[in-house]
Amino acid sequence: MELLRRIWSRPAGALGILFVFALLYWGGEHLRRELWAPDEARFAYVAKEMREEGHWLVPHRNGEYYAHKPPLMFWLINASASLLAGGEINSWTTRFPSLLGAVATLWSVVMLMRLWNRGRDDGAAALICAATYLVYKEGGWGQIDMLLCGLEMLALLALFSQDAKASSGRAFLAYLCMGLAVLAKGPVGFLVPLLAYLTAKIAARETSDLRRWHWVWGPIVALALPGTWLALVALNHPPAGYLDELLFSQNIDRAQGEFGHREPFYYFLTYFPLDGLPWAVLLPFAWMALGGNEEDRALRRRLTGWMVLVIVFFSLSPSKRNLYILLVYPALALFVASAWKGFRETTHLARVRRALAWFPPILVGVLLVLVLASPFLPGLIESAGSFGKGSNDELLETLETLRSVPFLTAVPGLVVALVCMAASLFLTKPHPRAPWRLASLWAILFATIGGRLLPLFNDHKTPKELIPLADAFIPEGGRLYLYRLNGENLALYTGRRGQVLHTADELAEVMGEIPTGLMVFEDRVWEEMKGGLGAGVTPHPFRLGGKHLIAAHWSGASEGGDTQVGPPTASRWVQLSDKPWQHPPDEPDRSQPGDDSDHDGRRDVTRPMGTAIDAGPCHQQPQDSHEDPGNPPEGERDRRHREKVHHVPRGKRVPVGDFLRAGMANDHDRRLHHVKPFRFSGSETPDDRALPDIPWTKPPESMFQSVREKPVAYHQSDRQHQKKPSS
């Protein structure tokens, strides 16, 4: 223990210990939770495209420049991938910059405690900071804000540390960190820490420390890094509009709320008590505790000025997100840790502290009970509710989602968390008022939620349903087409390069040029596509988190080899119908076993399967261009048959002369079961070996409405005897 204290007393030793602590604290979530949309998957995909395409100066997304963020985060993700994973960009390497930012934040808190003569509580301050809700959340998330916070904290540490004695070296490091922060998230990386420092010094009445020369040359140092990057971008012929959007739209328009997230001016006042749990509850007691001597009051004013500046600065903009004020919470940890030993032991404080200490084990116990009851809860809720037709669809869908989450696998982790909390309460019983007693309980709670519970939802937060479709319908080197959708997470998980199609004309052009492909769009777009471009594709609806998406594939090679785009015509294609199949009046019935004639290049279905097809006038289609009135050689005839029947592309609109089997699950819910081209003669069974298995998906119910008036050519490749659709 004495050796550990010696190591901790040194700045480098404290940094090493905090790094190991961060690995243990956030490592479970970093390794077990996959990359979720929107930010994590987006940053990973942009970094991956940067690596594969060599766009090291101008980040790109789906082949288009990405001006929303400067490149530092993407550089660090690629550096982490090279050093830690052999170049692979995964959940660990994507979140590693956030881990570095968290370590920098905790180390800065420790060093500021020592700088302000609170060194005996420096470890408690670091643990309090780590056990703050928003700090834990952002440390486990692959976002820029934790990295930004770490750089800003290093800048503040360097500025405060050169107050007692002017140091050009420390001031240089401060502005260097600000420059890196600008490369991470733009001008806020320079403005916020500098203004926070100024406000803190003015509030503490320490204006004499502001008489330094670094105000002259420091901003030049801070802007040198982003300025060098911008100069290199300009010299390398950036895409048209990139610099304008980066420098103006992403700063001025975002500050005016043009990019969304518009919230009222008091937004941060409502989030601060929640994101600052549990320590925001103790802030009034800490304020009173730091009112004793002048040194305590100066520290109170300094930290208050820091916190108020950050909140006010971001409140001035209509665009607000709770993570914008992440820099407030290290100051909150410094505030509470510095005041802890001066708390006035009142009845109210004792009750609050007792409630905060018992909340984590009680919550974990409740979660354990709910997890054990998870197999039965959805059914009980559903039976207790009143679910009329067309009502509570969202609740029913949520219950269906909960049924598929493997909650029971979290039982061991929750049990271990309860044991650790019990051990913490037992070991700290001699010191019931110690700050690390309360902090350890909340740290265990957060680590359990992040490392054990959140990963349970990986399958619902990642587009795994899309992977087999991409493997089946996107050729080698092909692209995943994203119609009116950015979809970085979709391209990331399928391993295909994304391409955004903004208009219907762009989509029609792609479908006309690419014989087989896959696109993804939001379900609301399907209503616009039906009867037009949508008639030539097969939809596969799926849900990604709270979004309802549709993956649609097309295989548009026509009989003559040309791609057919748009709605099918009744004179050429088989259409689904709710009427029984009948032989056309002028079509001979060649359905006897052994009759393998092929006089006109077509074969007939010998018997319908379920509700079959309505041939309509399709039997009058012209003969294939390669057909000969005479009898072709036997080898040529077999070749034609294989090309015509066995190698029909998946999803092709099939001519009536080819073989089609259409089955309906039942007439009540009218779900499409399967439609496949196949060879069928006499007693033979359908031969679909040439068609790979892909998951069953339920098409929209609207495709079965008014089939005769608006025929739709849907062909769902699936197993022959699969009866139950997968979720």
Side-chain angles (χ1 to χ4, degrees):
M1 186 63 68
E2 185 61 30
L3 178 62
L4 189 62
R5 288 196 183 96
R6 289 181 183 177
I7 296 175
W8 175 259
S9 64
R10 301 172 182 174
L15 181 62
I17 292 174
L18 289 172
F19 184 78
V20 174
F21 166 77
L23 288 176
L24 297 175
Y25 188 45
W26 281 288
E29 183 174 3
H30 284 201
L31 293 174
R32 298 189 72 247
R33 187 173 63 79
E34 299 181 16
L35 296 172
W36 291 0
D39 291 338
E40 287 186 311
R42 177 188 303 129
F43 296 155
Y45 180 70
V46 172
K48 183 180 179 181
E49 192 164 333
M50 173 184 282
R51 187 183 194 89
E52 293 177 350
E53 300 296 328
H55 299 305
W56 295 105
L57 291 176
V58 178
H60 278 66
R61 174 182 65 183
N62 295 323
E64 302 174 354
Y65 69 76
Y66 180 70
H68 289 230
K69 298 292 183 291
L72 181 62
M73 181 71 172
F74 314 121
W75 290 344
L76 291 178
I77 291 175
N78 277 294
S80 303
S82 299
L83 295 174
L84 304 175
E88 179 186 359
I89 294 177
N90 51 34
S91 61
W92 170 248
T93 55
T94 300
R95 297 185 181 116
F96 195 73
S98 295
L99 184 75
L100 295 179
V103 173
T105 298
L106 299 181
W107 186 74
S108 299
V109 167
V110 170
M111 299 310 295
L112 285 172
M113 289 289 288
R114 296 176 182 179
L115 179 66
W116 293 333
N117 300 318
R118 313 278 169 166
R120 296 189 63 180
D121 298 317
D122 55 0
L127 188 56
I128 288 173
C129 184
T132 304
Y133 167 69
L134 192 62
V135 173
Y136 174 81
K137 177 182 177 297
E138 293 304 312
W141 214 265
Q143 291 179 306
I144 298 176
D145 297 272
M146 194 72 248
L147 173 64
L148 175 68
C149 182
L151 292 171
E152 291 174 335
M153 284 296 296
L154 290 174
L156 285 169
L157 171 63
L159 287 174
F160 282 122
S161 63
Q162 56 88 48
D163 284 343
K165 183 178 180 181
S167 171
S168 298
R170 293 177 181 176
F172 179 84
L173 289 176
Y175 288 102
L176 183 66
C177 290
M178 293 183 211
L180 291 172
V182 173
L183 276 176
K185 206 174 181 180
V188 294
F190 172 73
L191 294 174
V192 173
L194 197 64
L195 293 177
Y197 170 74
L198 280 171
T199 306
K201 299 301 289 185
I202 294 173
R205 302 169 188 171
E206 298 168 342
T207 54
S208 59
D209 294 336
L210 301 178
R211 299 168 185 172
R212 299 285 189 267
W213 281 104
H214 64 75
W215 297 109
V216 177
W217 54 264
I220 300 175
V221 173
L223 298 177
L225 284 177
T228 301
W229 165 63
L230 289 173
L232 291 174
V233 170
L235 291 174
N236 283 272
H237 308 289
Y242 173 72
L243 290 176
D244 179 69
E245 181 176 347
L246 176 75
L247 298 176
F248 299 102
S249 297
Q250 290 296 328
N251 293 298
I252 299 175
D253 293 348
R254 188 178 294 275
Q256 295 175 350
E258 299 297 330
F259 286 81
H261 305 296
R262 299 180 68 93
E263 302 291 346
F265 71 95
Y266 54 83
Y267 172 81
F268 294 116
L269 298 180
T270 62
Y271 269 88
F272 173 75
L274 299 175
D275 291 335
L277 283 175
W279 315 109
V281 180
L282 297 173
L283 188 57
F285 301 100
W287 175 272
M288 292 185 291
L290 287 177
N293 54 52
E294 181 56 32
E295 182 180 357
D296 288 347
R297 290 194 294 271
L299 177 61
R300 182 175 68 179
R301 293 192 298 268
R302 187 183 306 132
L303 293 174
T304 301
W306 171 349
M307 297 167 66
V308 170
L309 180 279
V310 175
I311 294 175
V312 170
F313 179 88
F314 287 105
S315 296
L316 296 176
S317 170
S319 179
K320 300 178 181 68
R321 294 181 67 187
N322 62 326
L323 49 81
Y324 289 173
I325 62 168
L326 183 59
L327 190 63
V328 165
Y329 300 101
L332 173 63
L334 290 166
F335 209 125
V336 173
S338 300
W340 195 277
K341 291 184 177 179
F343 279 161
R344 301 172 185 174
E345 296 300 326
T346 63
T347 303
H348 293 295
L349 176 60
R351 290 176 179 174
V352 169
R353 194 152 46 192
R354 190 181 305 113
L356 293 176
W358 282 105
F359 182 81
I362 291 175
L363 180 58
V364 173
V366 172
L367 291 173
L368 180 59
V369 172
L370 292 175
V371 164
L372 291 173
S374 60
F376 315 102
L377 283 179
L380 293 175
I381 296 174
E382 188 172 356
S383 61
S386 175
F387 303 104
K389 184 177 181 181
S391 64
N392 297 320
D393 289 341
E394 186 173 348
L395 178 58
L396 289 171
E397 191 173 81
T398 302
L399 293 176
E400 193 65 30
T401 299
L402 292 177
R403 287 190 178 97
S404 62
V405 176
F407 285 112
L408 292 178
T409 60
V411 170
L414 293 173
V415 172
V416 170
L418 283 176
V419 172
C420 291
M421 288 180 179
S424 178
L425 289 172
F426 177 77
L427 294 175
T428 59
K429 192 174 182 180
H431 309 282
R433 299 174 183 174
W436 35 269
R437 184 177 196 246
L438 183 59
S440 63
L441 293 173
W442 282 84
I444 294 171
L445 172 65
F446 293 145
T448 302
I449 293 175
R452 296 301 306 174
L453 295 182
L454 292 183
L456 298 177
F457 297 90
N458 279 334
D459 289 343
H460 296 278
K461 299 288 287 184
T462 55
K464 294 183 177 179
E465 296 177 61
L466 195 60
I467 297 175
L469 296 174
D471 294 339
F473 300 116
I474 301 180
E476 187 69 25
R479 296 199 171 200
L480 175 67
Y481 296 100
L482 306 164
Y483 185 45
R484 302 184 188 177
L485 190 70
N486 285 324
E488 306 93 339
N489 56 332
L490 309 177
L492 176 69
Y493 278 92
T494 58
R496 267 64 171 191
R497 180 61 44 78
Q499 180 175 335
V500 179
L501 305 175
H502 301 280
T503 65
D505 291 338
E506 293 179 1
L507 177 59
E509 181 179 356
V510 167
M511 293 178 66
E513 294 177 353
I514 308 299
T516 301
L518 183 69
M519 62 177 166
V520 184
F521 46 86
E522 295 182 1
D523 60 345
R524 57 183 175 83
V525 179
W526 179 248
E527 295 297 323
E528 305 173 14
M529 296 178 62
K530 286 190 305 183
L533 293 173
V537 301
T538 302
H540 306 271
F542 67 99
R543 186 177 180 183
L544 182 59
K547 289 187 176 181
H548 294 266
L549 302 176
I550 293 179
H553 78 268
W554 72 90
S555 297
S558 69
E559 296 171 69
D562 297 329
T563 300
Q564 300 295 323
V565 179
T569 61
S571 62
R572 298 194 59 176
W573 307 104
V574 171
Q575 308 298 328
L576 295 182
S577 172
D578 54 2
K579 291 187 176 183
W581 179 83
Q582 295 178 353
H583 286 288
D586 58 344
E587 183 78 18
D589 186 0
R590 296 188 297 270
S591 60
Q592 299 303 319
D595 184 358
D596 198 31
S597 60
D598 192 16
H599 301 296
D600 59 354
R602 304 191 303 270
R603 297 186 184 275
D604 295 303
V605 178
T606 60
R607 59 178 181 267
M609 301 290 293
T611 302
I613 58 174
D614 176 14
C618 297
H619 66 279
Q620 299 174 357
Q621 66 179 359
Q623 295 179 343
D624 294 339
S625 58
H626 65 265
E627 290 182 357
D628 189 342
N631 291 325
E634 184 176 355
E636 176 66 11
R637 180 170 173 154
D638 292 340
R639 185 189 66 80
R640 293 182 190 179
H641 177 76
R642 285 194 302 271
E643 290 180 353
K644 217 174 149 45
V645 179
H646 288 283
H647 297 286
V648 175
R650 296 179 301 278
K652 178 181 178 183
R653 290 163 291 170
V654 183
V656 68
D658 293 335
F659 300 101
L660 183 70
R661 184 180 81 248
M664 308 296 287
N666 56 65
D667 292 334
H668 178 66
D669 59 14
R670 305 177 62 78
R671 296 177 183 174
L672 179 66
H673 177 44
H674 48 233
V675 179
K676 281 186 177 180
F678 66 97
R679 179 181 182 180
F680 198 93
S681 177
S683 60
E684 295 177 3
T685 57
D687 185 352
D688 57 5
R689 288 172 294 178
L691 300 174
D693 292 333
I694 63 172
W696 189 98
T697 55
K698 178 185 176 183
E701 186 68 21
S702 57
M703 69 163 285
F704 298 110
Q705 298 174 359
S706 304
V707 176
R708 296 291 292 173
E709 290 75 11
K710 296 177 66 175
V712 182
Y714 270 76
H715 308 286
Q716 171 61 54
S717 303
D718 197 8
R719 293 185 177 89
Q720 175 184 349
H721 300 295
Q722 187 173 351
K723 298 298 183 183
K724 184 178 180 180
S726 62
S727 59

